Amino acid sequence: HVHLARVRFAARICRVSSRLSPAGCMLLRSWSLNSEAQRLQGLLSEAVAAPAPPAAAPVAPPEPTAAAAGGLSPTRRGTSGAAPAEAWELALETWIDLKASGYAIEEGRVQSLLPSIAASVPRLSRDCTHQLFEPSAQSGQPVFMKLLRAHRGQVNFLYFWKAFGEAMHMTGAKHDAGLTAELEMLRDRLLRRVEDTGGGMDDDRSAQARPERRVLPAWSLVEEVHRAASMSSAPNFWKRCSEVLVGNLGLEEISLEELTSIVLSWLHESQLWESEHGAEAQALTRRSLSMASQDEGLLPVYVHIYDVSKEESIQSLNSILAHKNSPVKFGGVFHAGVEVNGLEWSYGYSPSLSKPGVSCGKPRIHPQHVYRQTITLRNTKVVAEMIAEIISQLIEEYPGSDYNLLRRNCCHFADDFCRRLGVGGIPGWVHRLARLGAGVEAMIQSAPRPIRERFYG
């Protein structure tokens, strides 16, 4: 049998090369199409001489998933070897799987899906499951539900994130550090301030006696940010947050929904800050310098980062992370591509079978995105012909219809590609920011229309 995958690859290479400059076309064909033609010729010879393969055994139908049963979808961490997910990442993915309405979800739905939520907590033992997610003997309510501090039958994402982090802390799986840990401390202090103003959890008061909305005085937010700066290992980050907040707030009080928007924006910016100033960025620089001398003569590998500002599907997300009327005005989300041997490869959504999800083009140039920065990885020891083989495999393994904002996006492709090139995975902050952006986008899309119009335009 002819190896149809490689035939399709050759056809795609021809389509891609037609959009490149003559120099790029020659380069692509020199190390891709020619090597594939040689491989095809060998495969055809083997197919003529080889006996017919035995009939394939019947394939058993796939096991039903939790999603099919009305529960949470299975969590995929992407490629193997990636850094362990932080509490906010897992909480955000679980929140999206709960099919929440924006920043809130009905308390009853959370309670009905407690077993699935527990399954999303890493290394959760049977004892911890009993303590957190099963009804207690005293109140008959699970401890996890108490931590959510529902208000008028609704659970806010900030409380869910906090409760999820507490569950991970009990299992020893919580390892957030740096600005992420500082932001979680600030989140907790702000939630206590909200409760002190009368917006606590449902209690013995009647529904009429409970306040309609949970709010926070604006001066309390500014005060807590100053406090965070005084105790921070990165005071300049919080100083920047304070300056932007004071200059753009213009409110006497902030609702819990608005506070959630602000905290998520700071979470986004903290990941960018640590990508430039944190220990991970310093370690990457040291690794690149240490490998430079022994990588001479090999092909360099780069990861290019783009701001996603031209794509209509991301406009709603940028409206919260970088909205002109938002209390915080930092960056939006971005796209990633891998450059090797003079061409850049990336992955995106494509509903058409004739248009692959994997595409290539000139480095640092993208028709839909704005170039932001470049991350230099080690040089690869993989030769050009083998790079063509790797790309052929990736094209088959990453069809455009499989693209998923949270679990299979351009960063998963870039990380997988870099690992196959033998240069290690892409920096963890790239994954984290992609997951954060995708999660917030899903929140926006699931929010009721009045809330979407109010916060996101």
Side-chain angles (χ1 to χ4, degrees):
H1 296 278
V2 178
H3 200 308
L4 295 179
R6 289 188 166 84
V7 173
R8 287 196 295 269
F9 171 77
R12 288 166 181 166
I13 288 294
C14 291
R15 285 199 298 272
V16 170
S17 64
S18 66
R19 298 196 297 269
L20 298 176
S21 64
C25 181
M26 290 178 62
L27 176 63
L28 181 61
R29 290 174 183 273
S30 66
W31 59 262
S32 296
L33 193 53
N34 289 342
S35 61
E36 283 300 313
Q38 295 172 2
R39 213 168 356 262
L40 278 171
Q41 185 176 2
L43 287 168
L44 285 168
S45 300
E46 293 175 5
V48 172
V59 180
E63 294 292 331
T65 63
L72 306 189
S73 62
T75 301
R76 288 186 288 173
R77 291 280 110 222
T79 57
S80 60
E86 297 183 357
W88 68 261
E89 298 177 72
L90 292 176
L92 190 56
E93 284 195 10
T94 306
W95 182 263
I96 301 306
D97 287 338
L98 287 171
K99 295 180 172 57
S101 299
Y103 294 153
I105 188 172
E106 293 180 0
E107 182 183 12
R109 177 161 179 79
V110 177
Q111 184 141 11
S112 67
L113 291 172
L114 278 181
S116 298
I117 297 173
S120 301
V121 180
R123 304 203 301 265
L124 190 67
S125 66
R126 182 68 188 91
D127 290 340
C128 288
T129 302
H130 176 72
Q131 294 176 33
L132 284 174
F133 294 96
E134 296 178 2
S136 64
Q138 292 78 10
S139 64
Q141 186 181 32
V143 172
F144 188 83
M145 294 301 301
K146 292 183 179 179
L147 293 173
L148 297 178
R149 303 188 73 80
H151 180 78
R152 290 180 170 264
Q154 296 289 312
V155 174
N156 177 270
F157 173 72
L158 292 183
Y159 282 105
F160 183 84
W161 172 14
K162 180 181 178 182
F164 200 95
E166 291 291 339
M168 288 184 62
H169 179 74
M170 287 186 64
T171 67
K174 191 172 186 295
H175 58 275
D176 297 346
L179 282 175
T180 302
E182 293 179 14
L183 183 62
E184 289 180 336
M185 293 176 61
L186 174 62
R187 172 206 64 198
D188 296 347
R189 291 197 301 268
L190 292 172
L191 290 178
R192 284 196 293 271
R193 291 253 192 168
V194 170
E195 293 161 13
D196 290 342
T197 61
M201 64 184 291
D202 291 347
D203 49 28
D204 293 335
R205 292 178 294 175
S206 64
Q208 291 76 16
R210 290 193 294 270
E212 179 69 26
R213 297 169 65 238
R214 290 187 282 189
V215 297
L216 176 74
W219 62 265
S220 297
L221 177 59
V222 176
E223 184 177 86
E224 288 295 348
V225 172
H226 287 164
R227 181 181 176 187
S230 67
M231 301 184 296
S232 174
S233 59
N236 288 337
F237 170 80
W238 293 111
K239 180 180 178 182
R240 180 184 178 189
C241 292
S242 176
E243 291 172 350
V244 174
L245 186 64
V246 172
N248 295 278
L249 196 54
L251 300 171
E252 293 186 1
E253 62 180 24
I254 300 168
S255 69
L256 186 58
E257 291 78 15
E258 292 165 333
L259 180 62
T260 306
S261 170
I262 292 171
V263 171
L264 285 173
S265 298
W266 283 341
L267 177 60
H268 171 269
E269 187 66 12
S270 70
Q271 304 305 306
L272 278 177
W273 181 277
E274 292 201 321
S275 74
E276 300 171 357
H277 307 281
E280 185 178 17
Q282 297 172 7
L284 181 62
T285 301
R286 288 194 299 270
R287 187 182 71 175
S288 298
L289 291 175
S290 65
M291 297 299 296
S293 59
Q294 52 186 298
D295 283 353
E296 292 181 2
L298 304 179
L299 294 174
V301 180
Y302 308 99
V303 177
H304 299 306
I305 305 298
Y306 299 81
D307 286 318
V308 180
S309 57
K310 297 181 181 179
E311 195 169 283
E312 292 183 2
S313 64
I314 303 297
Q315 289 299 318
S316 56
L317 177 55
N318 281 338
S319 69
I320 177 175
L321 295 179
H323 193 272
K324 63 180 181 179
N325 297 322
S326 175
V328 283
K329 290 185 175 68
F330 298 135
V333 296
F334 55 74
H335 167 81
V338 178
E339 177 190 349
V340 62
N341 207 15
L343 290 172
E344 181 176 335
W345 299 86
S346 61
Y347 175 58
Y349 173 72
S350 173
S352 173
L353 293 177
S354 62
K355 184 179 180 181
V358 177
S359 61
C360 82
K362 295 180 180 179
R364 298 181 298 280
I365 297 175
H366 198 285
Q368 292 181 309
H369 311 314
V370 179
Y371 172 76
R372 178 188 182 98
Q373 70 183 92
T374 293
I375 302 167
T376 302
L377 302 181
R378 300 201 307 262
N379 293 354
T380 179
K381 298 179 181 179
V382 180
V383 297
E385 290 75 13
M386 287 305 300
I387 293 176
E389 173 67 20
I390 291 173
I391 293 172
S392 174
Q393 296 170 357
L394 289 171
I395 288 175
E396 299 303 323
E397 295 173 17
Y398 284 83
S401 57
D402 280 5
Y403 184 88
N404 182 282
L405 274 174
L406 276 173
R407 297 182 175 89
R408 196 170 179 81
N409 55 42
C410 61
C411 293
H412 294 107
F413 168 82
D415 186 80
D416 192 0
F417 191 11
C418 289
R419 291 182 186 278
R420 297 191 196 196
L421 291 173
V423 299
I426 64 177
W429 64 266
V430 179
H431 272 301
R432 290 192 292 271
L433 270 173
R435 281 195 285 265
L436 174 59
V440 176
E441 165 72 1
M443 281 186 178
I444 294 170
Q445 297 300 331
S446 65
R449 183 175 179 181
I451 294 180
R452 288 202 309 271
E453 293 176 348
R454 178 182 177 189
F455 291 109
Y456 318 125

